[in-house]
Amino acid sequence: MTFKPFGGKFPYLSRMRRTNGEVVAYDEPELVARLVAGDEYAFAALFDHYHDVLLAFAYKRLHDEDDAKDVVQDVYIRLWKQRESFRLETNLENYLFKAVFNSVLNVFKHRSVHALHLEALVHVIPSVTEGTDHGIREQDMAHIIAMEVAALPTKMREAFELRWKDGLTNKQIALRMGLSEQTVETHMKRTLRVLRGRLQVALPFFL
Amino acid sequence: MIEPRELVKRYRAGTCTEAERRYVEAWLLRYRASDDTGLDEKDYQRIRHANWQAVRAQTISGGRHAKRRWLPFAAAAAILALAIGTWLLIDGTRGVSDMRLGTTEILPGGNRATLTLADGRIITLDEAQTGIVIGNRDITYQDGSALAGVIPSEAGESLRNGRAPSHAQADVQMMLSLSTPKGGTYQVTLPDGSKVWLNAASTLRYPIRFTDAVREVFLEGEAFFEIKGIEGTRMSRVPFNVQTSGQTIEVLGTQFNVSAYTDDPDTKTTLVTGRVKVGMSTLRNDVPTSQEVRERLVELSPGQQATTRGAAITVEEVDLSSYTAWKDGLFLFDDEPLDAIMRKISRWYDVEVVFNDGIDRQERFGGGVSRYGKLKEVLDRLSLTGKVRFAVTERRITVMP
């Protein structure tokens, strides 16, 4: 018979609702503060706000819906469980992406087959790997590269994997994909450039 | 408004205001999300919902007592089968019943409704029947017996030809309208096979034939919908919309309840299975352009309810059975405010309700009772809580502290 403000009920909207029912715009600092205090509405609002981008990030690399789903799910469960130790000044977006990045990497480690052949790549992308080898083992680096290769656009990835996993030459790749050798070469160069850029962005997550 | 390029420049230089920074970041987030991944919008929605259910189960609901499910649906069905008119699990102090009833016994509602034809003729439907079926060639009761002479000439013509009139205009004109009085309930099977259960004091307007463009019905009052959306059939691709004064509901094949009484400030859509999208009613002229209205659509998942009050829509998880039990012959109140409970009683028993001073209309009560008992039985059980008493004179209930 008692009136329950929450009543075990829960909004599920991209906009959030204060406990008094007022609908307000997304305000991250406030939401994070309230999350730390254990506010369920704030948690739901943050879930909604970041869920899709995190899922996209994970799915692009894993190409498996269930794996991507599980990764994102775990990250949110951990966010809630560790909310009390979450520091207010932490950038939530960075925190979430870093968490997803590391979880995706773990999935890659379990699927180690993918990575093995890419180990040679570590030496091909020196600009990224040179300064980092003190902290990251070659094995890890190969996984990270494999992960970022997985996130490449389909055609680029196909060509790249034919070269680095199946060991085909540019000429063979050109034949198989119905492209000119010249095009494949350009593809490879561009891919390496993209990959370097991505790894430079990705590594801080890992470090 | 600053130019986007200028905004990005400032963002890079770090000279944005806080609001501008958030604007740019929100845009970046959307941009990244839209990056081609192989998942489409529907996949995102589906996964987001599944993830939310899983995350919630392991976070919020795990950290506190699970919601008191005081009357699961199966139990409600069992009660119906036994036709017990007792309140269940009423919590709160049990007081002595102090109900003073008038001498006349007020009986519950039943299968009462009228059907208004396109030409304005009103037909009183048989109380021994439970529902009508709008068929291809005629309108019958659910047991197949005919509603003699109900088909207006022009509609009858098109029905007998077995096809819809060629002009959408003609369809609009040929609306049928099923109305229940206070104390009435009735079912109708629409031309596409969808079923609608109409609660008391409600009106459903629908075309005699649906067009290929849209299946649209208009509701005032309360109804439970079971929309036919068989995969692969032509009709399943035709959108089904329910229009009420408060909400417009876009149905994607499903079972749901809509409560849109004009004497209730809230319009509520409760989803049982499938999917629906709910937005501000497009019938309202105080809401902005259709584009903006569309953007405000909220998609519900089973177990959720969208409530519209004024210009605000809220979504929450609810105990489904308390919103659909009426269809199965039960009043089921899940911590419902007294005035909402009394409105339901008033509609079903066709009585007027007066609140005396000192009554907190927002006080919440929970419990269940058969809708097919006498009014006295319902009020008796409510007064068992010791918080309210009732006096009944003629067809008026006075609620007293």
Side-chain angles (χ1 to χ4, degrees), chain A residues 71-108:
Chain A
V71 160
V72 175
Q73 202 181 101
D74 286 349
V75 165
Y76 275 109
I77 292 169
R78 267 183 283 142
L79 174 67
W80 176 260
K81 294 204 164 140
Q82 299 167 3
R83 67 186 183 279
E84 277 155 13
S85 55
F86 192 87
R87 297 217 311 277
L88 289 180
E89 63 274 19
T90 315
N91 180 316
L92 181 69
E93 188 185 343
N94 277 350
Y95 167 93
L96 290 171
F97 273 99
K98 197 167 170 172
V100 170
F101 181 95
N102 285 322
S103 301
V104 170
L105 188 60
N106 277 330
V107 177
F108 263 86

Side-chain angles (χ1 to χ4, degrees), chain A residues 18 21 85 87-88 117 126 149 152 162 180 182 191 199 205:
Chain A
R18 286 187 206 276
S85 55
R87 297 217 311 277
L88 289 180
H117 307 280
V149 167
L152 292 169
L162 284 174
S180 76
Q182 184 70 37
T191 305
L199 286 166
F205 282 135

Side-chain angles (χ1 to χ4, degrees), chain A residues 1 9 17 52 60 65, chain B residues 35 46 48 91 314 317:
Chain A
M1 291 307 156
K9 290 150 189 170
R17 213 166 70 150
D52 289 7
K60 257 197 229 170
E65 197 184 298
Chain B
D35 201 348
R46 180 172 47 77
R48 194 193 314 131
D91 50 19
T314 51
E317 303 275 333

Side-chain angles (χ1 to χ4, degrees), chain B residues 15-133:
Chain B
T15 54
C16 276
T17 65
E18 189 62 11
E20 286 166 354
R21 185 183 65 79
R22 283 201 207 117
Y23 182 85
V24 173
E25 282 171 2
W27 179 82
L28 274 172
L29 272 173
R30 273 205 304 279
Y31 175 77
R32 275 188 232 165
S34 69
D35 201 348
D36 169 47
T37 57
L39 295 176
D40 66 19
E41 189 50 37
K42 277 185 180 161
D43 293 323
Y44 276 108
Q45 279 180 8
R46 180 172 47 77
I47 299 170
R48 194 193 314 131
H49 178 69
N51 261 349
W52 175 243
Q53 297 297 329
V55 167
R56 193 169 64 137
Q58 289 190 58
T59 55
I60 300 155
S61 5
R64 55 139 100 205
H65 295 295
K67 193 181 181 222
R68 178 181 48 104
R69 298 239 346 146
W70 53 272
L71 195 67
F73 194 72
I79 298 150
L80 173 67
L82 294 169
I84 304 170
T86 14
W87 285 84
L88 296 171
L89 307 172
I90 295 173
D91 50 19
T93 33
R94 291 196 159 233
V96 182
S97 167
D98 187 19
M99 187 175 60
R100 288 166 243 155
L101 265 181
T103 43
T104 42
E105 281 190 331
I106 296 178
L107 300 173
N111 297 325
R112 284 173 214 134
T114 56
L115 181 68
T116 307
L117 303 173
D119 60 7
R121 278 183 297 154
I122 298 171
I123 300 203
T124 305
L125 299 172
D126 191 344
E127 288 189 30
Q129 298 280 348
T130 53
I132 53 170
V133 178

Side-chain angles (χ1 to χ4, degrees), chain B residues 25-328:
Chain B
E25 282 171 2
W27 179 82
L28 274 172
L29 272 173
R30 273 205 304 279
Y31 175 77
R32 275 188 232 165
S34 69
D35 201 348
D36 169 47
T37 57
L39 295 176
D40 66 19
E41 189 50 37
K42 277 185 180 161
D43 293 323
Y44 276 108
Q45 279 180 8
R46 180 172 47 77
I47 299 170
R48 194 193 314 131
H49 178 69
N51 261 349
W52 175 243
Q53 297 297 329
V55 167
R56 193 169 64 137
Q58 289 190 58
T59 55
I60 300 155
S61 5
R64 55 139 100 205
H65 295 295
K67 193 181 181 222
R68 178 181 48 104
R69 298 239 346 146
W70 53 272
L71 195 67
F73 194 72
I79 298 150
L80 173 67
L82 294 169
I84 304 170
T86 14
W87 285 84
L88 296 171
L89 307 172
I90 295 173
D91 50 19
T93 33
R94 291 196 159 233
V96 182
S97 167
D98 187 19
M99 187 175 60
R100 288 166 243 155
L101 265 181
T103 43
T104 42
E105 281 190 331
I106 296 178
L107 300 173
N111 297 325
R112 284 173 214 134
T114 56
L115 181 68
T116 307
L117 303 173
D119 60 7
R121 278 183 297 154
I122 298 171
I123 300 203
T124 305
L125 299 172
D126 191 344
E127 288 189 30
Q129 298 280 348
T130 53
I132 53 170
V133 178
I134 314 299
N136 274 333
R137 295 174 170 274
D138 49 13
I139 301 174
T140 61
Y141 284 111
Q142 273 180 345
D143 66 356
S145 58
L147 273 80
V150 300
I151 300 179
S153 53
E154 79 277 31
E157 200 52 50
S158 67
L159 280 177
R160 271 177 227 110
N161 291 340
R163 59 185 165 86
S166 46
H167 300 295
Q169 192 68 32
D171 278 316
V172 173
Q173 286 163 357
M174 283 199 291
M175 296 293 281
L176 295 177
S177 142
L178 182 68
S179 290
T180 51
K182 277 184 156 191
T185 183
Y186 228 81
Q187 285 176 45
V188 57
T189 305
L190 299 175
D192 65 342
S194 296
K195 284 183 183 165
V196 185
W197 285 255
L198 208 56
N199 204 348
S202 303
T203 296
L204 183 76
R205 284 202 307 130
Y206 51 94
I208 203 159
R209 305 285 290 162
F210 286 123
T211 65
D212 287 348
V214 68
R215 298 179 283 172
E216 189 168 57
V217 299
F218 299 82
L219 173 72
E220 193 190 311
E222 183 165 29
F224 184 88
F225 292 86
E226 202 176 279
I227 301 307
K228 263 278 197 329
I230 311 157
E231 287 302 324
T233 62
R234 186 179 54 85
M235 264 306 179
S236 69
R237 286 191 295 274
V238 178
F240 193 107
N241 293 337
V242 180
Q243 299 279 13
T244 72
S245 60
Q247 291 178 346
T248 290
I249 302 130
E250 213 178 290
V251 185
L252 314 153
T254 186
Q255 292 187 333
F256 58 100
N257 191 74
V258 180
S259 173
Y261 283 105
T262 47
D263 63 351
D264 190 334
D266 295 340
T267 301
K268 289 176 189 288
T269 296
T270 315
L271 184 61
V272 179
T273 59
R275 292 191 305 150
V276 296
K277 284 183 180 174
V278 180
M280 288 299 154
S281 175
T282 51
L283 301 178
R284 285 172 53 172
N285 40 24
D286 59 328
V287 285
T289 67
S290 60
Q291 182 57 34
E292 283 175 76
V293 170
R294 279 201 65 77
E295 281 173 5
R296 279 212 232 149
L297 285 184
V298 174
E299 182 164 332
L300 296 188
S301 310
Q304 292 186 330
Q305 180 179 69
T307 302
T308 314
R309 178 181 288 210
I313 284 196
T314 51
V315 174
E316 56 189 0
E317 303 275 333
V318 295
D319 180 35
L320 281 181
S321 47
S322 48
Y323 294 94
T324 57
W326 65 265
K327 171 174 93 67
D328 301 313

